[in-house]
Amino acid sequence: MKITVFDGADTIGGTKIHVEEGENGLFLDFGMNFAKYSQYYEEFISERTARGIYDLWRLGMIPKLNIYRKDLIPEDLFREVGRFPRPKVDAILISHAHLDHVGNVALLDKNIPIVGSPTTISIIKALNDTAAGGSHFGMESPYYKVRVRKDEEGYVLEADRKSHYFSRDVILTEDSQDLSDFLFYRPGQESPRAKKILPGDVKTVNEEDLGFEIKPFNVDHSIYGATAYIIEGEISLAYTGDFRLHGKNGDKTRKFIKEAKNVSILITEGTRVGREEHENVSEEEVYKNALKIAEEAKGLVVADFSARNFERLENFKEIAEKTGRELVITAKDAYFLHALKLVDGVDRLAGLRIYGNFKATRQKWEEIVVWGNYAEQYASPFEIRKGQENYILCFSFYDMPHLLDVMPNGGVYIYSSSEAFTEEQTFSFLRLWNWLQYFGFEVHGFRVDAEGKPIFERGAPRFRTRF
């Protein structure tokens, strides 16, 4: 067995690990390397999608391999890409739906299937549905719009509006409810004249021969659907992806650890290996700290936590119930919870409200799926303004402008997400702090010192628990 780490070593994210044996090969994740991206790009500058993979290739943000979608290779790069190795890739094993592990999958050859848990695949698809026509290709999975040449030379690429969407083949780690209608459905494609998504094959790892025996294991992480893998070939290999022990699904991680004890090779994330044990905070501690704050809060409570951290969202739902408040989420969060319901049948939207922000037009996914199914759960800014003490509002920095419609009269802001890793993130926290000061919030979780530097609380209450 040959293992090649193409990216993800000595950095956070960007994981791209190739496993090869005989005529077979797999990638363990194919993520976006945020550290490399931040060297050249920020919020208002990104790769030029009209040039396909050209910018990413030139800047060394993707491996120099001949494994990418042909429709993303402009003419002036085509021959160069063709001179590089084309390793065998029977599939991509996806550990979870964070972009640092899945953000470059959309660039890969259309014939390479993706393997993941039903939850992970549904989240990835929901990310694509709700993307606002983004600045990079990271969201284009499992379906994408084929690019065609816009100019005669073939240097400029654009989405082919005359063709259908292409759907990559999907292999699930376990049987689930029939997801085909969701996985290969794009909101707004109901019209008889619409260019439909062409369904791919939906199989399980037990049904598909990938050249290795693949044993998936559900593990605990801040995002649902996280999966670790044991791969059996001539020797055995265990790949953890991101995992933890201190969440509600910690026992699943322990089960995987027990199974992985006898493997020959272990590949694991090490983001927080150097941290002392007492610095790690369990989800139970986060819950208790946040509950205490909410019980003592006057006025509106705003909860800020990592996107798609559904376990944290469920904790705040319980906090809202115990404190006599209603939990209000964004329409995008509601769409993701709807997608999860299609996987496991659990109605996580029951008892929640959905924030009805003021906008000229709604995107198709919101109009058709969220508004169409959950209209009675929407709460207007004016409704929240009149009874601020009755709500916990799930907002992040990017939602701050909407608070101008609510106009909080003080209140409490609970930050329970990641710290600042880059200079640009530091500036974002300063901007967030300015918003919070404007509304007169009592802030928990971080503060900004006299020099404009964000300081994250190490003592109680403390909320950062990301591995």
PDB file of all heavy atoms in Angstrom, residues 298-302 381 384-385 388 393 395 400-412 435-441:
ATOM      1  N   LYS A 298     -31.557  39.701  30.339  1.00  0.00           N
ATOM      2  CA  LYS A 298     -32.679  40.620  30.162  1.00  0.00           C
ATOM      3  C   LYS A 298     -32.707  41.031  28.689  1.00  0.00           C
ATOM      4  O   LYS A 298     -31.685  41.369  28.116  1.00  0.00           O
ATOM      5  CB  LYS A 298     -32.518  41.853  31.050  1.00  0.00           C
ATOM      6  CG  LYS A 298     -32.279  41.554  32.519  1.00  0.00           C
ATOM      7  CD  LYS A 298     -33.480  40.850  33.158  1.00  0.00           C
ATOM      8  CE  LYS A 298     -33.240  40.619  34.654  1.00  0.00           C
ATOM      9  NZ  LYS A 298     -34.366  39.877  35.277  1.00  0.00           N
ATOM     10  N   GLY A 299     -33.876  40.998  28.108  1.00  0.00           N
ATOM     11  CA  GLY A 299     -33.991  41.398  26.721  1.00  0.00           C
ATOM     12  C   GLY A 299     -33.615  40.271  25.766  1.00  0.00           C
ATOM     13  O   GLY A 299     -33.627  39.086  26.115  1.00  0.00           O
ATOM     14  N   LEU A 300     -33.244  40.639  24.541  1.00  0.00           N
ATOM     15  CA  LEU A 300     -32.939  39.669  23.492  1.00  0.00           C
ATOM     16  C   LEU A 300     -31.644  38.920  23.793  1.00  0.00           C
ATOM     17  O   LEU A 300     -30.669  39.493  24.273  1.00  0.00           O
ATOM     18  CB  LEU A 300     -32.803  40.399  22.148  1.00  0.00           C
ATOM     19  CG  LEU A 300     -32.516  39.534  20.918  1.00  0.00           C
ATOM     20  CD1 LEU A 300     -33.707  38.643  20.587  1.00  0.00           C
ATOM     21  CD2 LEU A 300     -32.162  40.421  19.717  1.00  0.00           C
ATOM     22  N   VAL A 301     -31.638  37.627  23.484  1.00  0.00           N
ATOM     23  CA  VAL A 301     -30.422  36.824  23.545  1.00  0.00           C
ATOM     24  C   VAL A 301     -30.048  36.437  22.118  1.00  0.00           C
ATOM     25  O   VAL A 301     -30.887  35.923  21.373  1.00  0.00           O
ATOM     26  CB  VAL A 301     -30.612  35.550  24.392  1.00  0.00           C
ATOM     27  CG1 VAL A 301     -29.357  34.658  24.300  1.00  0.00           C
ATOM     28  CG2 VAL A 301     -30.901  35.910  25.841  1.00  0.00           C
ATOM     29  N   VAL A 302     -28.802  36.693  21.735  1.00  0.00           N
ATOM     30  CA  VAL A 302     -28.289  36.287  20.428  1.00  0.00           C
ATOM     31  C   VAL A 302     -27.236  35.211  20.645  1.00  0.00           C
ATOM     32  O   VAL A 302     -26.281  35.404  21.407  1.00  0.00           O
ATOM     33  CB  VAL A 302     -27.689  37.479  19.660  1.00  0.00           C
ATOM     34  CG1 VAL A 302     -27.050  36.994  18.357  1.00  0.00           C
ATOM     35  CG2 VAL A 302     -28.759  38.514  19.363  1.00  0.00           C
ATOM     36  N   PRO A 381     -39.108  40.738  11.869  1.00  0.00           N
ATOM     37  CA  PRO A 381     -38.272  41.547  12.768  1.00  0.00           C
ATOM     38  C   PRO A 381     -39.112  42.358  13.751  1.00  0.00           C
ATOM     39  O   PRO A 381     -38.719  42.529  14.912  1.00  0.00           O
ATOM     40  CB  PRO A 381     -37.505  42.458  11.797  1.00  0.00           C
ATOM     41  CG  PRO A 381     -37.512  41.740  10.493  1.00  0.00           C
ATOM     42  CD  PRO A 381     -38.808  40.984  10.446  1.00  0.00           C
ATOM     43  N   ILE A 384     -40.286  40.272  16.717  1.00  0.00           N
ATOM     44  CA  ILE A 384     -39.205  40.076  17.693  1.00  0.00           C
ATOM     45  C   ILE A 384     -38.921  41.375  18.432  1.00  0.00           C
ATOM     46  O   ILE A 384     -38.669  41.371  19.641  1.00  0.00           O
ATOM     47  CB  ILE A 384     -37.940  39.561  16.961  1.00  0.00           C
ATOM     48  CG1 ILE A 384     -38.229  38.197  16.328  1.00  0.00           C
ATOM     49  CG2 ILE A 384     -36.763  39.461  17.932  1.00  0.00           C
ATOM     50  CD1 ILE A 384     -37.111  37.686  15.446  1.00  0.00           C
ATOM     51  N   ARG A 385     -39.002  42.509  17.726  1.00  0.00           N
ATOM     52  CA  ARG A 385     -38.744  43.803  18.366  1.00  0.00           C
ATOM     53  C   ARG A 385     -39.706  44.059  19.513  1.00  0.00           C
ATOM     54  O   ARG A 385     -39.319  44.589  20.570  1.00  0.00           O
ATOM     55  CB  ARG A 385     -38.855  44.933  17.332  1.00  0.00           C
ATOM     56  CG  ARG A 385     -38.557  46.310  17.922  1.00  0.00           C
ATOM     57  CD  ARG A 385     -38.975  47.433  16.986  1.00  0.00           C
ATOM     58  NE  ARG A 385     -38.171  47.489  15.770  1.00  0.00           N
ATOM     59  CZ  ARG A 385     -38.289  48.443  14.848  1.00  0.00           C
ATOM     60  NH1 ARG A 385     -39.202  49.400  15.012  1.00  0.00           N
ATOM     61  NH2 ARG A 385     -37.525  48.421  13.763  1.00  0.00           N
ATOM     62  N   GLN A 388     -38.708  41.285  22.787  1.00  0.00           N
ATOM     63  CA  GLN A 388     -37.320  40.827  22.698  1.00  0.00           C
ATOM     64  C   GLN A 388     -36.955  39.834  23.795  1.00  0.00           C
ATOM     65  O   GLN A 388     -36.119  38.944  23.578  1.00  0.00           O
ATOM     66  CB  GLN A 388     -36.375  42.040  22.735  1.00  0.00           C
ATOM     67  CG  GLN A 388     -36.569  42.981  21.564  1.00  0.00           C
ATOM     68  CD  GLN A 388     -35.617  44.164  21.577  1.00  0.00           C
ATOM     69  OE1 GLN A 388     -34.514  44.082  22.116  1.00  0.00           O
ATOM     70  NE2 GLN A 388     -36.043  45.266  20.987  1.00  0.00           N
ATOM     71  N   LEU A 393     -32.084  34.442  19.384  1.00  0.00           N
ATOM     72  CA  LEU A 393     -31.906  34.602  17.945  1.00  0.00           C
ATOM     73  C   LEU A 393     -30.548  34.040  17.533  1.00  0.00           C
ATOM     74  O   LEU A 393     -29.513  34.459  18.063  1.00  0.00           O
ATOM     75  CB  LEU A 393     -32.006  36.087  17.589  1.00  0.00           C
ATOM     76  CG  LEU A 393     -31.964  36.500  16.123  1.00  0.00           C
ATOM     77  CD1 LEU A 393     -33.048  35.809  15.325  1.00  0.00           C
ATOM     78  CD2 LEU A 393     -32.117  38.030  16.025  1.00  0.00           C
ATOM     79  N   PHE A 395     -27.847  34.207  15.319  1.00  0.00           N
ATOM     80  CA  PHE A 395     -27.230  35.094  14.340  1.00  0.00           C
ATOM     81  C   PHE A 395     -25.714  35.037  14.475  1.00  0.00           C
ATOM     82  O   PHE A 395     -25.178  34.806  15.561  1.00  0.00           O
ATOM     83  CB  PHE A 395     -27.677  36.545  14.570  1.00  0.00           C
ATOM     84  CG  PHE A 395     -28.878  36.967  13.762  1.00  0.00           C
ATOM     85  CD1 PHE A 395     -29.671  36.030  13.115  1.00  0.00           C
ATOM     86  CD2 PHE A 395     -29.222  38.301  13.666  1.00  0.00           C
ATOM     87  CE1 PHE A 395     -30.785  36.422  12.381  1.00  0.00           C
ATOM     88  CE2 PHE A 395     -30.321  38.712  12.930  1.00  0.00           C
ATOM     89  CZ  PHE A 395     -31.107  37.770  12.284  1.00  0.00           C
ATOM     90  N   MET A 400     -25.520  40.606  11.262  1.00  0.00           N
ATOM     91  CA  MET A 400     -25.653  41.805  12.074  1.00  0.00           C
ATOM     92  C   MET A 400     -26.505  42.902  11.435  1.00  0.00           C
ATOM     93  O   MET A 400     -27.296  43.558  12.136  1.00  0.00           O
ATOM     94  CB  MET A 400     -24.268  42.363  12.433  1.00  0.00           C
ATOM     95  CG  MET A 400     -23.488  41.551  13.463  1.00  0.00           C
ATOM     96  SD  MET A 400     -24.269  41.509  15.085  1.00  0.00           S
ATOM     97  CE  MET A 400     -25.006  39.872  15.049  1.00  0.00           C
ATOM     98  N   PRO A 401     -26.398  43.166  10.133  1.00  0.00           N
ATOM     99  CA  PRO A 401     -27.232  44.238   9.570  1.00  0.00           C
ATOM    100  C   PRO A 401     -28.731  44.036   9.792  1.00  0.00           C
ATOM    101  O   PRO A 401     -29.490  45.014   9.890  1.00  0.00           O
ATOM    102  CB  PRO A 401     -26.878  44.212   8.081  1.00  0.00           C
ATOM    103  CG  PRO A 401     -25.481  43.693   8.033  1.00  0.00           C
ATOM    104  CD  PRO A 401     -25.432  42.661   9.126  1.00  0.00           C
ATOM    105  N   HIS A 402     -29.185  42.784   9.886  1.00  0.00           N
ATOM    106  CA  HIS A 402     -30.613  42.524  10.090  1.00  0.00           C
ATOM    107  C   HIS A 402     -31.077  42.964  11.474  1.00  0.00           C
ATOM    108  O   HIS A 402     -32.281  43.202  11.681  1.00  0.00           O
ATOM    109  CB  HIS A 402     -30.915  41.033   9.896  1.00  0.00           C
ATOM    110  CG  HIS A 402     -30.657  40.549   8.497  1.00  0.00           C
ATOM    111  ND1 HIS A 402     -31.283  41.077   7.395  1.00  0.00           N
ATOM    112  CD2 HIS A 402     -29.822  39.591   8.024  1.00  0.00           C
ATOM    113  CE1 HIS A 402     -30.866  40.464   6.301  1.00  0.00           C
ATOM    114  NE2 HIS A 402     -29.973  39.561   6.662  1.00  0.00           N
ATOM    115  N   LEU A 403     -30.136  43.087  12.415  1.00  0.00           N
ATOM    116  CA  LEU A 403     -30.521  43.543  13.751  1.00  0.00           C
ATOM    117  C   LEU A 403     -30.991  44.999  13.742  1.00  0.00           C
ATOM    118  O   LEU A 403     -31.659  45.444  14.683  1.00  0.00           O
ATOM    119  CB  LEU A 403     -29.358  43.372  14.737  1.00  0.00           C
ATOM    120  CG  LEU A 403     -29.103  41.957  15.245  1.00  0.00           C
ATOM    121  CD1 LEU A 403     -27.923  41.936  16.199  1.00  0.00           C
ATOM    122  CD2 LEU A 403     -30.336  41.372  15.925  1.00  0.00           C
ATOM    123  N   LEU A 404     -30.660  45.732  12.695  1.00  0.00           N
ATOM    124  CA  LEU A 404     -31.148  47.102  12.593  1.00  0.00           C
ATOM    125  C   LEU A 404     -32.661  47.145  12.442  1.00  0.00           C
ATOM    126  O   LEU A 404     -33.296  48.165  12.754  1.00  0.00           O
ATOM    127  CB  LEU A 404     -30.479  47.815  11.412  1.00  0.00           C
ATOM    128  CG  LEU A 404     -28.983  48.107  11.571  1.00  0.00           C
ATOM    129  CD1 LEU A 404     -28.387  48.580  10.258  1.00  0.00           C
ATOM    130  CD2 LEU A 404     -28.746  49.135  12.672  1.00  0.00           C
ATOM    131  N   ASP A 405     -33.258  46.054  11.962  1.00  0.00           N
ATOM    132  CA  ASP A 405     -34.716  45.977  11.876  1.00  0.00           C
ATOM    133  C   ASP A 405     -35.328  45.574  13.214  1.00  0.00           C
ATOM    134  O   ASP A 405     -36.446  45.963  13.537  1.00  0.00           O
ATOM    135  CB  ASP A 405     -35.130  44.974  10.795  1.00  0.00           C
ATOM    136  CG  ASP A 405     -34.682  45.394   9.408  1.00  0.00           C
ATOM    137  OD1 ASP A 405     -34.710  46.608   9.117  1.00  0.00           O
ATOM    138  OD2 ASP A 405     -34.290  44.507   8.617  1.00  0.00           O
ATOM    139  N   VAL A 406     -34.584  44.794  13.994  1.00  0.00           N
ATOM    140  CA  VAL A 406     -35.058  44.395  15.321  1.00  0.00           C
ATOM    141  C   VAL A 406     -34.817  45.509  16.334  1.00  0.00           C
ATOM    142  O   VAL A 406     -35.618  45.720  17.246  1.00  0.00           O
ATOM    143  CB  VAL A 406     -34.344  43.098  15.777  1.00  0.00           C
ATOM    144  CG1 VAL A 406     -34.752  42.717  17.193  1.00  0.00           C
ATOM    145  CG2 VAL A 406     -34.650  41.955  14.810  1.00  0.00           C
ATOM    146  N   MET A 407     -33.704  46.220  16.180  1.00  0.00           N
ATOM    147  CA  MET A 407     -33.271  47.287  17.081  1.00  0.00           C
ATOM    148  C   MET A 407     -33.293  46.850  18.545  1.00  0.00           C
ATOM    149  O   MET A 407     -34.107  47.294  19.360  1.00  0.00           O
ATOM    150  CB  MET A 407     -34.133  48.543  16.902  1.00  0.00           C
ATOM    151  CG  MET A 407     -33.811  49.318  15.633  1.00  0.00           C
ATOM    152  SD  MET A 407     -32.059  49.795  15.482  1.00  0.00           S
ATOM    153  CE  MET A 407     -31.870  50.908  16.881  1.00  0.00           C
ATOM    154  N   PRO A 408     -32.390  45.909  18.906  1.00  0.00           N
ATOM    155  CA  PRO A 408     -32.340  45.436  20.291  1.00  0.00           C
ATOM    156  C   PRO A 408     -32.104  46.578  21.278  1.00  0.00           C
ATOM    157  O   PRO A 408     -31.311  47.495  21.016  1.00  0.00           O
ATOM    158  CB  PRO A 408     -31.146  44.465  20.286  1.00  0.00           C
ATOM    159  CG  PRO A 408     -30.968  44.079  18.851  1.00  0.00           C
ATOM    160  CD  PRO A 408     -31.362  45.283  18.060  1.00  0.00           C
ATOM    161  N   ASN A 409     -32.788  46.492  22.376  1.00  0.00           N
ATOM    162  CA  ASN A 409     -32.603  47.455  23.461  1.00  0.00           C
ATOM    163  C   ASN A 409     -31.715  46.786  24.503  1.00  0.00           C
ATOM    164  O   ASN A 409     -32.152  46.337  25.546  1.00  0.00           O
ATOM    165  CB  ASN A 409     -33.955  47.841  24.049  1.00  0.00           C
ATOM    166  CG  ASN A 409     -33.819  48.877  25.146  1.00  0.00           C
ATOM    167  OD1 ASN A 409     -32.815  49.593  25.219  1.00  0.00           O
ATOM    168  ND2 ASN A 409     -34.823  48.950  26.003  1.00  0.00           N
ATOM    169  N   GLY A 410     -30.411  46.696  24.200  1.00  0.00           N
ATOM    170  CA  GLY A 410     -29.516  45.929  25.041  1.00  0.00           C
ATOM    171  C   GLY A 410     -29.726  44.446  24.764  1.00  0.00           C
ATOM    172  O   GLY A 410     -30.148  44.052  23.681  1.00  0.00           O
ATOM    173  N   GLY A 411     -29.421  43.636  25.759  1.00  0.00           N
ATOM    174  CA  GLY A 411     -29.543  42.195  25.585  1.00  0.00           C
ATOM    175  C   GLY A 411     -28.214  41.497  25.790  1.00  0.00           C
ATOM    176  O   GLY A 411     -27.235  42.110  26.249  1.00  0.00           O
ATOM    177  N   VAL A 412     -28.172  40.216  25.452  1.00  0.00           N
ATOM    178  CA  VAL A 412     -26.995  39.388  25.700  1.00  0.00           C
ATOM    179  C   VAL A 412     -26.569  38.708  24.408  1.00  0.00           C
ATOM    180  O   VAL A 412     -27.403  38.181  23.656  1.00  0.00           O
ATOM    181  CB  VAL A 412     -27.289  38.329  26.785  1.00  0.00           C
ATOM    182  CG1 VAL A 412     -26.162  37.317  26.881  1.00  0.00           C
ATOM    183  CG2 VAL A 412     -27.508  38.996  28.132  1.00  0.00           C
ATOM    184  N   TRP A 435     -20.573  46.335  16.151  1.00  0.00           N
ATOM    185  CA  TRP A 435     -22.011  46.105  16.075  1.00  0.00           C
ATOM    186  C   TRP A 435     -22.590  45.852  17.470  1.00  0.00           C
ATOM    187  O   TRP A 435     -23.633  46.412  17.838  1.00  0.00           O
ATOM    188  CB  TRP A 435     -22.308  44.883  15.199  1.00  0.00           C
ATOM    189  CG  TRP A 435     -22.275  45.134  13.723  1.00  0.00           C
ATOM    190  CD1 TRP A 435     -21.279  44.811  12.858  1.00  0.00           C
ATOM    191  CD2 TRP A 435     -23.298  45.750  12.926  1.00  0.00           C
ATOM    192  NE1 TRP A 435     -21.596  45.176  11.577  1.00  0.00           N
ATOM    193  CE2 TRP A 435     -22.836  45.747  11.589  1.00  0.00           C
ATOM    194  CE3 TRP A 435     -24.555  46.275  13.213  1.00  0.00           C
ATOM    195  CZ2 TRP A 435     -23.595  46.278  10.535  1.00  0.00           C
ATOM    196  CZ3 TRP A 435     -25.318  46.799  12.177  1.00  0.00           C
ATOM    197  CH2 TRP A 435     -24.850  46.801  10.855  1.00  0.00           C
ATOM    198  N   LEU A 436     -21.927  45.005  18.233  1.00  0.00           N
ATOM    199  CA  LEU A 436     -22.435  44.649  19.551  1.00  0.00           C
ATOM    200  C   LEU A 436     -22.454  45.848  20.491  1.00  0.00           C
ATOM    201  O   LEU A 436     -23.381  46.006  21.299  1.00  0.00           O
ATOM    202  CB  LEU A 436     -21.588  43.520  20.147  1.00  0.00           C
ATOM    203  CG  LEU A 436     -21.555  42.210  19.333  1.00  0.00           C
ATOM    204  CD1 LEU A 436     -20.634  41.193  19.991  1.00  0.00           C
ATOM    205  CD2 LEU A 436     -22.956  41.643  19.165  1.00  0.00           C
ATOM    206  N   GLN A 437     -21.431  46.696  20.385  1.00  0.00           N
ATOM    207  CA  GLN A 437     -21.408  47.906  21.202  1.00  0.00           C
ATOM    208  C   GLN A 437     -22.513  48.870  20.784  1.00  0.00           C
ATOM    209  O   GLN A 437     -23.123  49.546  21.621  1.00  0.00           O
ATOM    210  CB  GLN A 437     -20.039  48.581  21.088  1.00  0.00           C
ATOM    211  CG  GLN A 437     -18.888  47.759  21.648  1.00  0.00           C
ATOM    212  CD  GLN A 437     -19.097  47.365  23.098  1.00  0.00           C
ATOM    213  OE1 GLN A 437     -19.168  48.208  23.981  1.00  0.00           O
ATOM    214  NE2 GLN A 437     -19.217  46.067  23.346  1.00  0.00           N
ATOM    215  N   TYR A 438     -22.778  48.937  19.492  1.00  0.00           N
ATOM    216  CA  TYR A 438     -23.837  49.824  18.996  1.00  0.00           C
ATOM    217  C   TYR A 438     -25.181  49.451  19.601  1.00  0.00           C
ATOM    218  O   TYR A 438     -25.965  50.327  19.992  1.00  0.00           O
ATOM    219  CB  TYR A 438     -23.901  49.751  17.471  1.00  0.00           C
ATOM    220  CG  TYR A 438     -25.054  50.522  16.880  1.00  0.00           C
ATOM    221  CD1 TYR A 438     -24.970  51.900  16.682  1.00  0.00           C
ATOM    222  CD2 TYR A 438     -26.243  49.875  16.529  1.00  0.00           C
ATOM    223  CE1 TYR A 438     -26.041  52.609  16.154  1.00  0.00           C
ATOM    224  CE2 TYR A 438     -27.318  50.579  15.999  1.00  0.00           C
ATOM    225  CZ  TYR A 438     -27.209  51.948  15.813  1.00  0.00           C
ATOM    226  OH  TYR A 438     -28.272  52.660  15.292  1.00  0.00           O
ATOM    227  N   PHE A 439     -25.458  48.140  19.680  1.00  0.00           N
ATOM    228  CA  PHE A 439     -26.744  47.695  20.212  1.00  0.00           C
ATOM    229  C   PHE A 439     -26.741  47.569  21.732  1.00  0.00           C
ATOM    230  O   PHE A 439     -27.774  47.266  22.330  1.00  0.00           O
ATOM    231  CB  PHE A 439     -27.135  46.350  19.596  1.00  0.00           C
ATOM    232  CG  PHE A 439     -27.468  46.422  18.130  1.00  0.00           C
ATOM    233  CD1 PHE A 439     -26.705  45.739  17.209  1.00  0.00           C
ATOM    234  CD2 PHE A 439     -28.527  47.197  17.680  1.00  0.00           C
ATOM    235  CE1 PHE A 439     -27.004  45.805  15.852  1.00  0.00           C
ATOM    236  CE2 PHE A 439     -28.840  47.276  16.330  1.00  0.00           C
ATOM    237  CZ  PHE A 439     -28.073  46.580  15.406  1.00  0.00           C
ATOM    238  N   GLY A 440     -25.597  47.767  22.373  1.00  0.00           N
ATOM    239  CA  GLY A 440     -25.525  47.726  23.823  1.00  0.00           C
ATOM    240  C   GLY A 440     -25.597  46.331  24.405  1.00  0.00           C
ATOM    241  O   GLY A 440     -26.080  46.137  25.534  1.00  0.00           O
ATOM    242  N   PHE A 441     -25.078  45.335  23.671  1.00  0.00           N
ATOM    243  CA  PHE A 441     -25.125  43.960  24.158  1.00  0.00           C
ATOM    244  C   PHE A 441     -24.111  43.718  25.271  1.00  0.00           C
ATOM    245  O   PHE A 441     -23.000  44.260  25.259  1.00  0.00           O
ATOM    246  CB  PHE A 441     -24.825  42.982  23.028  1.00  0.00           C
ATOM    247  CG  PHE A 441     -25.994  42.661  22.146  1.00  0.00           C
ATOM    248  CD1 PHE A 441     -26.030  43.102  20.835  1.00  0.00           C
ATOM    249  CD2 PHE A 441     -27.060  41.914  22.625  1.00  0.00           C
ATOM    250  CE1 PHE A 441     -27.101  42.803  20.015  1.00  0.00           C
ATOM    251  CE2 PHE A 441     -28.143  41.615  21.815  1.00  0.00           C
ATOM    252  CZ  PHE A 441     -28.166  42.065  20.509  1.00  0.00           C
TER     253      PHE A 441
END
